[in-house]
Amino acid sequence: MQTKLTLNQKFWISSILVIAVSCTLAGQWARSNYQAYQLAQRSLKHLTLYQTVLLTTTGISTERGLMLAQMSQSQPSDHLQQALHAQRRYNDQRFDRLNRLLSQSGLANDPLIQDRLKQSRRALGAARAEADRLFSQPRAARPKQRITDSLRQMIAIVDGMRTVIDDIGTRAIESNTRITRVVVTTRTITQLREYAGRSLALLAPPMMEGKCLTGEQQGQSEQLLGRVNELQDLLESQLPTYMNEGLVRKARADANRRYFSDVYATLVEARLQCMLNAPSPMYHASEFILQTQPKLQSLERLRDAVFQIAIEGLRTSREVTRRQIMLTTAMTIAIGLALLGQVLLTRRTLIAPLLRARNDIIALAEGNTGCNTATYPSGVEMRELFRAIDILRSSQQRRNILEREREILTTQLQQQAETDGLTGLINRRGLDSQCQHLFARNAVLGRAVGLIMFDIDHFKQVNDEHGHLVGDRVLQAVAHIVRRVCRGNDIVGRFGGEEFVILVEGLDAPALRHLAEKVRRAIAGMSITLENGQPLTVSASFGVALSRIHPQSTWPQLIEMADTALYLAKNAGRDRVMMAPPAD
């Protein structure tokens, strides 16, 4: 069976669908912006983590240079000692920050990264302890091999951090491939800084002892400087992406001047000196390290500039997407409210009035024409519609008034047709009409119907002697007496002339006869004063009959029985009650 939807139901279903589709589209837009926001946030975390691990690694290289400079001094230097302790504190803070960032990025449980960091930190602690033991000895008493081992141990720590750098860099690239160039470029700069530092560490021991490089050391130095040349060429192909940024251009110019011109040239010159001639011992080595070490920071500033540009770009992207999310949310709410407002407005100005018009038309069809006290709805069309309904209502009201007047007139005419004009009692026609219903009802209830028929004795003589006006007064007085004596549900009528009838329900024969006697005595006891002051009394003869308890019992049969009994009462001398024998 096909379900039929009402106009109201169709309206709400279509409205819900429109709102749902609009909210879905806005939600997809918001979801896209939110995904972009999450990408920027995730990339920012990974890039910050990657920057921290590079800074930590560079800090270890810086600490290695300060240790080498301290070992190169013939006398302990308080300034170098303070700088070394400050760098150690800085490196420890970087390790702590690195662990916190790992926890925030979800990599804290990565066993490879955690193991490498723990190993590097333990190795760094051991290297520091060994360096402190060497610092406590006079310069001449410090074993060359232990100095070399200490430097190699620091280099091994940096090499161990490469695994962490590569792993975190890979995770950063996987989170957002757009930061690949940042990761690669900053790693290249960090390696340039590291290989320059290693070259410095390779040349410093021979300079401290005033000896030339061995064949193995010459090969290592050549490899380091060759690696620096390769990284420099690689960096030249990577940096153009950032050269539009003023900060990077400035850092690049400073790196060219301080590192590529000064540091690299100094390293090449020192290498040649250590290869060809015995360099000046101790003081020159310390001075060489202290002059070269700060210039390496130009690479660190270049790397930090690239990081700053990339991080600011990610933060800007995150802020833009955050604003877009807020804008999308606000627009979604605004669109939703606008659609809801439009739905409610349409419901109030169109659907509700149509439903109200429908109800009014149905009410009019059912005959309910009560006054419509509600105000007209807004909108020209709806107002015209309800004006038309009011016109229809007014027309129906006038029609109903005419119909009610017609019904009243019909009732009055019917009542006049069935009512005796003189006595106000029901007439013969009315008796015939009511008796049909009376007999039908009592047939269903299984009860007999009683009929008392009487007429006024010698009524013609009253008319002849006193006139018809007196006769009319007698008839009116008899009617009044009978109505007063009878019960409320008894039917009293004027059968014709001076003859009256009383229809009774629910009485047996004795009770019916008793009622007839009561009426007879009341009539006999009444008196009418004539114009001459003389009283006039009358009597009546009664015939009483009781119908059969049978569906086929009829009104004419009952009249015939009562009329027979009345005839007997007149023959018996009048002013008496005669009971008809029971019906067969």
Side-chain angles (χ1 to χ4, degrees):
M1 181 178 179
Q2 186 178 4
T3 302
K4 294 183 178 179
L5 298 177
T6 64
L7 177 62
N8 192 38
Q9 291 171 334
K10 292 179 180 178
F11 170 76
W12 281 114
I13 290 174
S14 59
S15 300
I16 292 172
L17 287 176
V18 170
I19 293 176
V21 170
S22 301
C23 291
T24 299
L25 294 176
Q28 289 178 348
W29 187 21
R31 181 173 176 269
S32 176
N33 288 331
Y34 182 68
Q35 289 176 343
Y37 175 83
Q38 285 185 317
L39 178 62
Q41 181 72 3
R42 187 166 55 250
S43 301
L44 188 59
K45 286 183 178 180
H46 282 92
L47 197 58
T48 302
L49 177 62
Y50 185 68
Q51 181 187 28
T52 303
V53 73
L54 290 183
L55 290 175
T56 304
T57 304
T58 303
I60 297 172
S61 298
T62 303
E63 183 178 344
R64 181 185 64 210
L66 291 174
M67 287 172 55
L68 184 59
Q70 182 76 345
M71 291 178 185
S72 302
Q73 294 281 351
S74 59
Q75 297 294 331
S77 172
D78 292 338
H79 173 71
L80 277 177
Q81 191 70 20
Q82 292 175 0
L84 180 60
H85 287 164
Q87 186 64 39
R88 287 179 176 179
R89 288 193 299 271
Y90 173 83
N91 290 343
D92 290 338
Q93 292 173 357
R94 287 295 170 183
F95 270 107
D96 293 338
R97 174 174 169 79
L98 184 58
N99 286 323
R100 288 196 302 270
L101 292 176
L102 284 171
S103 300
Q104 295 173 3
S105 64
L107 298 178
N109 297 326
D110 190 310
L112 179 61
I113 294 178
Q114 288 298 324
D115 290 344
R116 286 291 184 182
L117 286 178
K118 290 178 181 179
Q119 291 174 9
S120 297
R121 201 159 189 180
R122 284 196 298 266
L124 182 61
R128 288 172 177 176
E130 177 64 15
D132 290 341
R133 283 192 292 270
L134 291 174
F135 294 156
S136 65
Q137 299 177 9
R139 168 69 183 82
R142 297 170 186 169
K144 174 184 176 183
Q145 187 61 40
R146 288 181 63 184
I147 294 175
T148 302
D149 292 342
S150 179
L151 292 176
R152 287 177 178 175
Q153 190 175 6
M154 293 294 288
I155 292 173
I157 294 172
V158 173
D159 289 339
M161 290 293 290
R162 285 183 180 177
T163 304
V164 180
I165 293 172
D166 292 340
D167 197 357
I168 294 177
T170 301
R171 301 291 182 90
I173 293 173
E174 289 175 350
S175 69
N176 186 358
T177 56
R178 295 181 179 179
I179 64 175
T180 302
R181 186 171 293 274
V182 180
V183 172
V184 173
T185 302
T186 53
R187 189 177 188 276
T188 301
I189 297 173
T190 302
Q191 286 179 330
L192 267 174
R193 163 68 175 83
E194 172 60 21
Y195 284 116
R198 289 189 184 188
S199 296
L200 185 63
L202 181 63
L203 295 175
M207 293 178 68
M208 288 190 309
E209 296 178 359
K211 296 181 179 180
C212 294
L213 294 175
T214 64
E216 180 183 357
Q217 289 174 335
Q218 290 180 16
Q220 292 176 352
S221 177
E222 185 177 357
Q223 289 180 355
L224 290 173
L225 291 177
R227 183 59 178 155
V228 169
N229 286 328
E230 291 175 359
L231 291 173
Q232 182 177 354
D233 293 338
L234 181 61
L235 184 62
E236 289 296 328
S237 66
Q238 295 171 348
L239 277 180
T241 305
Y242 305 96
M243 292 309 291
N244 292 329
E245 302 293 339
L247 183 65
V248 175
R249 285 200 306 272
K250 182 179 179 182
R252 171 62 171 160
D254 184 60
N256 286 336
R257 180 174 56 84
R258 296 174 65 86
Y259 176 81
F260 295 106
S261 297
D262 293 346
V263 175
Y264 183 74
T266 302
L267 288 174
V268 171
E269 181 181 356
R271 176 175 177 272
L272 291 174
Q273 184 180 5
C274 290
M275 288 175 60
L276 301 175
N277 303 309
S280 301
M282 289 182 293
Y283 173 77
H284 294 289
S286 174
E287 183 179 2
F288 172 67
I289 295 170
L290 292 177
Q291 289 179 354
T292 305
Q293 187 78 11
K295 296 178 181 180
L296 295 177
Q297 295 178 357
S298 62
L299 285 176
E300 298 176 17
R301 288 191 290 271
L302 177 59
R303 178 198 59 198
D304 293 342
V306 174
F307 268 124
Q308 183 177 345
I309 296 301
I311 290 175
E312 287 179 355
L314 288 174
R315 286 175 177 170
T316 301
S317 176
R318 183 183 62 178
E319 181 64 20
V320 169
T321 53
R322 187 184 68 83
R323 291 177 180 175
Q324 287 179 344
I325 290 173
M326 295 177 62
L327 178 63
T328 302
T329 303
M331 290 181 63
T332 301
I333 295 174
I335 291 172
L337 292 177
L339 288 174
L340 181 59
Q342 183 63 36
V343 167
L344 295 178
L345 180 63
T346 304
R347 175 73 170 79
R348 184 172 67 86
T349 60
L350 180 61
I351 303 301
L354 288 177
L355 292 175
R356 178 177 146 197
R358 168 188 173 275
N359 294 333
D360 287 352
I361 293 173
I362 292 175
L364 287 175
E366 293 176 349
N368 182 7
T369 59
C371 294
N372 183 18
T373 57
T375 57
Y376 287 160
S378 59
V380 177
E381 295 81 1
M382 289 296 106
R383 286 198 297 268
E384 292 300 323
L385 173 62
F386 277 87
R387 286 194 183 98
I389 293 176
D390 283 345
I391 293 172
L392 180 61
R393 180 182 291 106
S394 299
S395 176
Q396 187 65 32
Q397 288 173 345
R398 289 193 297 270
R399 188 179 294 108
N400 289 344
I401 292 173
L402 293 176
E403 187 66 29
R404 284 196 296 271
E405 291 177 352
R406 187 182 298 108
E407 290 176 356
I408 293 172
L409 180 60
T410 301
T411 302
Q412 291 175 349
L413 292 175
Q414 183 177 0
Q415 185 178 4
Q416 291 176 2
E418 296 180 353
T419 303
D420 179 58
L422 179 63
T423 62
L425 299 178
I426 189 171
N427 60 17
R428 176 71 177 268
R429 180 179 178 181
L431 287 171
D432 292 340
S433 176
Q434 292 194 20
C435 283
Q436 295 178 4
H437 303 290
L438 182 67
F439 272 80
R441 181 172 67 249
N442 283 275
V444 174
L445 297 175
R447 300 186 307 187
V449 178
L451 176 61
I452 301 174
M453 180 180 289
F454 68 94
D455 66 3
I456 301 172
D457 296 332
H458 307 294
F459 183 71
K460 184 177 182 303
Q461 184 178 350
V462 172
N463 282 333
D464 293 340
E465 292 181 1
H466 303 287
H468 288 283
L469 291 178
V470 174
D472 291 343
R473 289 178 58 193
V474 171
L475 293 174
Q476 292 173 344
V478 169
H480 177 72
I481 288 294
V482 174
R483 274 199 299 262
R484 189 181 64 185
V485 173
C486 290
R487 300 174 304 173
N489 61 337
D490 294 338
I491 300 175
V492 180
R494 183 181 178 189
F495 201 66
E498 71 275 17
E499 196 170 16
F500 297 84
V501 294
I502 304 172
L503 279 168
V504 181
E505 297 180 88
L507 295 182
D508 57 9
L512 186 61
R513 184 182 182 91
H514 175 72
L515 178 60
E517 284 289 346
K518 186 177 180 182
V519 175
R520 186 192 65 78
R521 289 194 298 270
I523 293 173
M526 77 174 188
S527 175
I528 298 174
T529 304
L530 300 175
E531 292 182 357
N532 57 9
Q534 296 296 321
L536 173 65
T537 60
V538 295
S539 63
S541 300
F542 289 79
V544 180
L546 196 63
S547 70
R548 296 181 300 166
I549 304 177
H550 193 279
Q552 296 181 350
S553 181
T554 63
W555 165 241
Q557 292 175 352
L558 188 60
I559 292 176
E560 184 178 356
M561 294 168 59
D563 187 56
T564 302
L566 175 59
Y567 179 77
L568 293 174
K570 289 182 178 182
N571 287 339
R574 293 183 171 82
D575 192 19
R576 66 189 67 236
V577 176
M578 295 297 291
M579 190 76 187
D584 295 335

mmCIF file of all heavy atoms in Angstrom, residues 126-158:
data_model
loop_
_atom_site.group_PDB
_atom_site.id
_atom_site.type_symbol
_atom_site.label_atom_id
_atom_site.label_comp_id
_atom_site.label_asym_id
_atom_site.label_seq_id
_atom_site.Cartn_x
_atom_site.Cartn_y
_atom_site.Cartn_z
ATOM 1 N N ALA A 126 80.913 9.960 28.854
ATOM 2 C CA ALA A 126 82.225 9.327 28.984
ATOM 3 C C ALA A 126 83.315 10.189 28.350
ATOM 4 O O ALA A 126 84.435 10.332 28.892
ATOM 5 C CB ALA A 126 82.200 7.943 28.330
ATOM 6 N N ALA A 127 83.031 10.786 27.181
ATOM 7 C CA ALA A 127 84.006 11.644 26.513
ATOM 8 C C ALA A 127 84.316 12.873 27.355
ATOM 9 O O ALA A 127 85.473 13.339 27.417
ATOM 10 C CB ALA A 127 83.488 12.057 25.142
ATOM 11 N N ARG A 128 83.317 13.429 27.996
ATOM 12 C CA ARG A 128 83.549 14.589 28.860
ATOM 13 C C ARG A 128 84.427 14.216 30.051
ATOM 14 O O ARG A 128 85.342 14.981 30.440
ATOM 15 C CB ARG A 128 82.210 15.141 29.355
ATOM 16 C CG ARG A 128 81.396 15.848 28.287
ATOM 17 C CD ARG A 128 80.013 16.178 28.803
ATOM 18 N NE ARG A 128 79.212 16.923 27.820
ATOM 19 C CZ ARG A 128 77.943 17.258 27.994
ATOM 20 N NH1 ARG A 128 77.318 16.880 29.117
ATOM 21 N NH2 ARG A 128 77.324 17.947 27.064
ATOM 22 N N ALA A 129 84.156 13.059 30.631
ATOM 23 C CA ALA A 129 84.965 12.626 31.774
ATOM 24 C C ALA A 129 86.431 12.450 31.380
ATOM 25 O O ALA A 129 87.358 12.859 32.106
ATOM 26 C CB ALA A 129 84.396 11.327 32.346
ATOM 27 N N GLU A 130 86.672 11.834 30.211
ATOM 28 C CA GLU A 130 88.034 11.645 29.726
ATOM 29 C C GLU A 130 88.696 12.990 29.434
ATOM 30 O O GLU A 130 89.883 13.207 29.752
ATOM 31 C CB GLU A 130 88.004 10.789 28.463
ATOM 32 C CG GLU A 130 89.371 10.578 27.817
ATOM 33 C CD GLU A 130 90.331 9.791 28.702
ATOM 34 O OE1 GLU A 130 89.864 9.152 29.694
ATOM 35 O OE2 GLU A 130 91.532 9.807 28.421
ATOM 36 N N ALA A 131 87.942 13.935 28.834
ATOM 37 C CA ALA A 131 88.496 15.255 28.556
ATOM 38 C C ALA A 131 88.862 15.977 29.840
ATOM 39 O O ALA A 131 89.914 16.634 29.926
ATOM 40 C CB ALA A 131 87.504 16.080 27.740
ATOM 41 N N ASP A 132 88.014 15.862 30.863
ATOM 42 C CA ASP A 132 88.298 16.515 32.139
ATOM 43 C C ASP A 132 89.560 15.935 32.772
ATOM 44 O O ASP A 132 90.359 16.654 33.404
ATOM 45 C CB ASP A 132 87.112 16.368 33.087
ATOM 46 C CG ASP A 132 85.917 17.201 32.630
ATOM 47 O OD1 ASP A 132 86.111 18.136 31.820
ATOM 48 O OD2 ASP A 132 84.771 16.902 33.068
ATOM 49 N N ARG A 133 89.777 14.623 32.622
ATOM 50 C CA ARG A 133 91.000 14.018 33.162
ATOM 51 C C ARG A 133 92.232 14.544 32.411
ATOM 52 O O ARG A 133 93.281 14.796 33.005
ATOM 53 C CB ARG A 133 90.927 12.502 33.047
ATOM 54 C CG ARG A 133 90.027 11.869 34.098
ATOM 55 C CD ARG A 133 90.196 10.350 34.159
ATOM 56 N NE ARG A 133 89.696 9.699 32.946
ATOM 57 C CZ ARG A 133 88.453 9.280 32.790
ATOM 58 N NH1 ARG A 133 87.570 9.449 33.762
ATOM 59 N NH2 ARG A 133 88.081 8.711 31.675
ATOM 60 N N LEU A 134 92.091 14.705 31.092
ATOM 61 C CA LEU A 134 93.215 15.244 30.318
ATOM 62 C C LEU A 134 93.468 16.706 30.669
ATOM 63 O O LEU A 134 94.629 17.145 30.729
ATOM 64 C CB LEU A 134 92.931 15.111 28.824
ATOM 65 C CG LEU A 134 92.934 13.686 28.263
ATOM 66 C CD1 LEU A 134 92.494 13.690 26.803
ATOM 67 C CD2 LEU A 134 94.331 13.056 28.371
ATOM 68 N N PHE A 135 92.393 17.478 30.908
ATOM 69 C CA PHE A 135 92.563 18.886 31.271
ATOM 70 C C PHE A 135 93.314 19.031 32.588
ATOM 71 O O PHE A 135 94.021 20.019 32.808
ATOM 72 C CB PHE A 135 91.208 19.583 31.388
ATOM 73 C CG PHE A 135 90.463 19.691 30.078
ATOM 74 C CD1 PHE A 135 89.081 19.830 30.060
ATOM 75 C CD2 PHE A 135 91.153 19.662 28.871
ATOM 76 C CE1 PHE A 135 88.400 19.922 28.864
ATOM 77 C CE2 PHE A 135 90.473 19.761 27.679
ATOM 78 C CZ PHE A 135 89.095 19.891 27.673
ATOM 79 N N SER A 136 93.132 18.055 33.467
ATOM 80 C CA SER A 136 93.765 18.144 34.794
ATOM 81 C C SER A 136 95.277 17.897 34.735
ATOM 82 O O SER A 136 95.991 18.161 35.719
ATOM 83 C CB SER A 136 93.109 17.140 35.746
ATOM 84 O OG SER A 136 93.358 15.796 35.312
ATOM 85 N N GLN A 137 95.776 17.403 33.598
ATOM 86 C CA GLN A 137 97.205 17.119 33.451
ATOM 87 C C GLN A 137 97.893 18.287 32.723
ATOM 88 O O GLN A 137 97.273 18.989 31.919
ATOM 89 C CB GLN A 137 97.418 15.826 32.647
ATOM 90 C CG GLN A 137 96.812 14.591 33.309
ATOM 91 C CD GLN A 137 96.976 13.357 32.440
ATOM 92 O OE1 GLN A 137 97.687 13.393 31.424
ATOM 93 N NE2 GLN A 137 96.341 12.258 32.865
ATOM 94 N N PRO A 138 99.169 18.455 32.964
ATOM 95 C CA PRO A 138 99.914 19.485 32.233
ATOM 96 C C PRO A 138 99.917 19.173 30.746
ATOM 97 O O PRO A 138 99.772 18.036 30.330
ATOM 98 C CB PRO A 138 101.331 19.396 32.831
ATOM 99 C CG PRO A 138 101.145 18.746 34.167
ATOM 100 C CD PRO A 138 99.986 17.805 34.019
ATOM 101 N N ARG A 139 100.055 20.199 29.945
ATOM 102 C CA ARG A 139 99.998 20.040 28.496
ATOM 103 C C ARG A 139 101.019 19.031 27.990
ATOM 104 O O ARG A 139 100.714 18.178 27.165
ATOM 105 C CB ARG A 139 100.244 21.407 27.827
ATOM 106 C CG ARG A 139 100.504 21.346 26.328
ATOM 107 C CD ARG A 139 99.245 20.943 25.567
ATOM 108 N NE ARG A 139 99.516 20.807 24.148
ATOM 109 C CZ ARG A 139 100.053 19.744 23.558
ATOM 110 N NH1 ARG A 139 100.405 18.700 24.277
ATOM 111 N NH2 ARG A 139 100.239 19.721 22.242
ATOM 112 N N ALA A 140 102.217 19.060 28.523
ATOM 113 C CA ALA A 140 103.268 18.173 28.033
ATOM 114 C C ALA A 140 103.038 16.735 28.449
ATOM 115 O O ALA A 140 103.507 15.799 27.793
ATOM 116 C CB ALA A 140 104.638 18.651 28.542
ATOM 117 N N ALA A 141 102.288 16.565 29.572
ATOM 118 C CA ALA A 141 102.072 15.202 30.085
ATOM 119 C C ALA A 141 100.856 14.524 29.470
ATOM 120 O O ALA A 141 100.563 13.365 29.769
ATOM 121 C CB ALA A 141 101.921 15.241 31.609
ATOM 122 N N ARG A 142 100.130 15.226 28.636
ATOM 123 C CA ARG A 142 98.924 14.638 28.039
ATOM 124 C C ARG A 142 99.319 13.708 26.899
ATOM 125 O O ARG A 142 99.954 14.132 25.932
ATOM 126 C CB ARG A 142 97.999 15.733 27.492
ATOM 127 C CG ARG A 142 97.480 16.657 28.576
ATOM 128 C CD ARG A 142 96.771 17.857 27.968
ATOM 129 N NE ARG A 142 96.396 18.816 29.019
ATOM 130 C CZ ARG A 142 95.957 20.042 28.794
ATOM 131 N NH1 ARG A 142 95.873 20.479 27.537
ATOM 132 N NH2 ARG A 142 95.636 20.832 29.796
ATOM 133 N N PRO A 143 98.930 12.414 27.005
ATOM 134 C CA PRO A 143 99.301 11.470 25.944
ATOM 135 C C PRO A 143 98.615 11.839 24.631
ATOM 136 O O PRO A 143 97.414 12.136 24.592
ATOM 137 C CB PRO A 143 98.803 10.113 26.469
ATOM 138 C CG PRO A 143 98.643 10.306 27.931
ATOM 139 C CD PRO A 143 98.279 11.749 28.133
ATOM 140 N N LYS A 144 99.370 11.815 23.526
ATOM 141 C CA LYS A 144 98.832 12.153 22.215
ATOM 142 C C LYS A 144 97.711 11.202 21.814
ATOM 143 O O LYS A 144 96.686 11.625 21.262
ATOM 144 C CB LYS A 144 99.957 12.118 21.188
ATOM 145 C CG LYS A 144 99.471 12.326 19.756
ATOM 146 C CD LYS A 144 100.607 12.176 18.775
ATOM 147 C CE LYS A 144 100.087 12.282 17.348
ATOM 148 N NZ LYS A 144 101.167 12.073 16.339
ATOM 149 N N GLN A 145 97.943 9.915 22.128
ATOM 150 C CA GLN A 145 96.941 8.937 21.703
ATOM 151 C C GLN A 145 95.617 9.158 22.433
ATOM 152 O O GLN A 145 94.543 9.003 21.836
ATOM 153 C CB GLN A 145 97.467 7.512 21.966
ATOM 154 C CG GLN A 145 96.566 6.424 21.404
ATOM 155 C CD GLN A 145 96.417 6.515 19.898
ATOM 156 O OE1 GLN A 145 97.396 6.789 19.187
ATOM 157 N NE2 GLN A 145 95.203 6.314 19.401
ATOM 158 N N ARG A 146 95.685 9.510 23.706
ATOM 159 C CA ARG A 146 94.436 9.750 24.457
ATOM 160 C C ARG A 146 93.703 10.977 23.917
ATOM 161 O O ARG A 146 92.475 11.010 23.877
ATOM 162 C CB ARG A 146 94.762 9.927 25.937
ATOM 163 C CG ARG A 146 95.174 8.605 26.623
ATOM 164 C CD ARG A 146 95.459 8.820 28.081
ATOM 165 N NE ARG A 146 94.272 9.267 28.790
ATOM 166 C CZ ARG A 146 94.284 9.608 30.096
ATOM 167 N NH1 ARG A 146 95.429 9.553 30.785
ATOM 168 N NH2 ARG A 146 93.176 10.008 30.681
ATOM 169 N N ILE A 147 94.450 11.994 23.505
ATOM 170 C CA ILE A 147 93.798 13.172 22.898
ATOM 171 C C ILE A 147 93.122 12.775 21.599
ATOM 172 O O ILE A 147 91.971 13.145 21.311
ATOM 173 C CB ILE A 147 94.837 14.285 22.661
ATOM 174 C CG1 ILE A 147 95.375 14.807 24.002
ATOM 175 C CG2 ILE A 147 94.216 15.427 21.852
ATOM 176 C CD1 ILE A 147 96.497 15.833 23.854
ATOM 177 N N THR A 148 93.870 11.988 20.793
ATOM 178 C CA THR A 148 93.298 11.546 19.519
ATOM 179 C C THR A 148 92.074 10.680 19.747
ATOM 180 O O THR A 148 91.038 10.832 19.054
ATOM 181 C CB THR A 148 94.347 10.767 18.720
ATOM 182 O OG1 THR A 148 95.495 11.592 18.515
ATOM 183 C CG2 THR A 148 93.778 10.331 17.380
ATOM 184 N N ASP A 149 92.131 9.760 20.738
ATOM 185 C CA ASP A 149 90.979 8.895 21.036
ATOM 186 C C ASP A 149 89.779 9.701 21.518
ATOM 187 O O ASP A 149 88.623 9.388 21.189
ATOM 188 C CB ASP A 149 91.381 7.860 22.083
ATOM 189 C CG ASP A 149 92.390 6.847 21.559
ATOM 190 O OD1 ASP A 149 92.499 6.738 20.319
ATOM 191 O OD2 ASP A 149 93.044 6.167 22.384
ATOM 192 N N SER A 150 90.058 10.721 22.317
ATOM 193 C CA SER A 150 88.965 11.571 22.819
ATOM 194 C C SER A 150 88.268 12.287 21.668
ATOM 195 O O SER A 150 87.027 12.372 21.624
ATOM 196 C CB SER A 150 89.522 12.576 23.826
ATOM 197 O OG SER A 150 88.501 13.412 24.303
ATOM 198 N N LEU A 151 89.063 12.794 20.707
ATOM 199 C CA LEU A 151 88.467 13.468 19.558
ATOM 200 C C LEU A 151 87.678 12.489 18.694
ATOM 201 O O LEU A 151 86.582 12.799 18.201
ATOM 202 C CB LEU A 151 89.562 14.140 18.724
ATOM 203 C CG LEU A 151 90.265 15.320 19.392
ATOM 204 C CD1 LEU A 151 91.397 15.835 18.513
ATOM 205 C CD2 LEU A 151 89.266 16.444 19.674
ATOM 206 N N ARG A 152 88.239 11.285 18.497
ATOM 207 C CA ARG A 152 87.528 10.268 17.721
ATOM 208 C C ARG A 152 86.223 9.862 18.406
ATOM 209 O O ARG A 152 85.222 9.578 17.737
ATOM 210 C CB ARG A 152 88.426 9.047 17.531
ATOM 211 C CG ARG A 152 89.560 9.281 16.546
ATOM 212 C CD ARG A 152 90.453 8.070 16.460
ATOM 213 N NE ARG A 152 91.521 8.284 15.477
ATOM 214 C CZ ARG A 152 92.520 7.417 15.260
ATOM 215 N NH1 ARG A 152 92.586 6.277 15.973
ATOM 216 N NH2 ARG A 152 93.443 7.679 14.351
ATOM 217 N N GLN A 153 86.262 9.812 19.715
ATOM 218 C CA GLN A 153 85.047 9.462 20.462
ATOM 219 C C GLN A 153 83.958 10.513 20.235
ATOM 220 O O GLN A 153 82.787 10.178 20.045
ATOM 221 C CB GLN A 153 85.366 9.346 21.950
ATOM 222 C CG GLN A 153 84.233 8.760 22.778
ATOM 223 C CD GLN A 153 84.628 8.550 24.226
ATOM 224 O OE1 GLN A 153 85.722 8.935 24.645
ATOM 225 N NE2 GLN A 153 83.753 7.916 24.987
ATOM 226 N N MET A 154 84.310 11.778 20.218
ATOM 227 C CA MET A 154 83.339 12.837 19.953
ATOM 228 C C MET A 154 82.810 12.758 18.518
ATOM 229 O O MET A 154 81.619 12.988 18.270
ATOM 230 C CB MET A 154 83.984 14.203 20.194
ATOM 231 C CG MET A 154 84.331 14.487 21.645
ATOM 232 S SD MET A 154 82.882 14.618 22.715
ATOM 233 C CE MET A 154 82.223 16.184 22.185
ATOM 234 N N ILE A 155 83.735 12.423 17.565
ATOM 235 C CA ILE A 155 83.283 12.260 16.176
ATOM 236 C C ILE A 155 82.335 11.082 16.055
ATOM 237 O O ILE A 155 81.321 11.136 15.327
ATOM 238 C CB ILE A 155 84.503 12.089 15.255
ATOM 239 C CG1 ILE A 155 85.304 13.395 15.185
ATOM 240 C CG2 ILE A 155 84.077 11.668 13.858
ATOM 241 C CD1 ILE A 155 86.611 13.280 14.426
ATOM 242 N N ALA A 156 82.618 9.991 16.795
ATOM 243 C CA ALA A 156 81.742 8.814 16.761
ATOM 244 C C ALA A 156 80.349 9.144 17.307
ATOM 245 O O ALA A 156 79.337 8.591 16.847
ATOM 246 C CB ALA A 156 82.382 7.679 17.558
ATOM 247 N N ILE A 157 80.305 10.025 18.295
ATOM 248 C CA ILE A 157 78.990 10.424 18.835
ATOM 249 C C ILE A 157 78.166 11.119 17.753
ATOM 250 O O ILE A 157 76.967 10.861 17.589
ATOM 251 C CB ILE A 157 79.180 11.341 20.064
ATOM 252 C CG1 ILE A 157 79.836 10.553 21.208
ATOM 253 C CG2 ILE A 157 77.832 11.917 20.512
ATOM 254 C CD1 ILE A 157 80.231 11.421 22.381
ATOM 255 N N VAL A 158 78.818 12.008 16.993
ATOM 256 C CA VAL A 158 78.122 12.703 15.898
ATOM 257 C C VAL A 158 77.670 11.706 14.843
ATOM 258 O O VAL A 158 76.538 11.784 14.319
ATOM 259 C CB VAL A 158 79.021 13.788 15.298
ATOM 260 C CG1 VAL A 158 78.371 14.397 14.060
ATOM 261 C CG2 VAL A 158 79.323 14.886 16.320
#
